[in-house]
């Protein structure tokens, strides 16, 4: 799979987005006009749920349910 190419002016800790696929625990999240691969810090997250970025390590973006 393609690694995230993170635009840190748009993707940063604390911003809200929406799950565009089910996070089980990995899936896709949309933040503004950017769609990136994310991983849930807890359980599964359903499509269209509001998510918040909690951690960015290299190209790995961790989110939680709002």
């Amino acid at each position: 799979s393609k690694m995230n190419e993170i635009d840190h002016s748009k993707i940063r800790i604390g911003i809200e987005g929406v799950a565009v696929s089910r996070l089980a625990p990995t899936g896709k999240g949309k933040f503004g006009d950017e769609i990136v691969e994310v991983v849930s810090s807890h359980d599964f997250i359903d499509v269209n749920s509001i998510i918040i970025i909690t951690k960015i390590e290299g190209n790995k973006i961790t989110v939680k349910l709002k």
Side-chain angles (χ1 to χ4, degrees):
S1 71
K2 184 179 175 186
M3 295 292 286
N4 287 326
E5 294 177 12
I6 299 172
D7 179 348
H8 289 283
S9 67
K10 297 179 182 179
I11 305 295
R12 59 191 180 281
I13 293 172
I15 66 169
E16 292 184 12
V18 63
V20 295
S21 70
R22 185 166 192 246
L23 308 187
T26 302
K28 300 284 184 181
K30 184 173 183 179
F31 302 91
D33 61 352
E34 299 286 316
I35 296 177
V36 292
E37 186 172 314
V38 296
V39 61
S40 169
S41 60
H42 299 298
D43 295 324
F44 302 120
I45 296 177
D46 288 325
V47 174
N48 296 323
S49 297
I50 303 298
I51 53 177
I52 300 172
I53 297 176
T54 58
K55 187 189 311 184
I56 300 173
E57 292 179 320
N59 291 328
K60 181 181 177 184
I61 302 169
T62 304
V63 299
K64 69 176 183 177
L65 194 57
K66 179 177 178 184

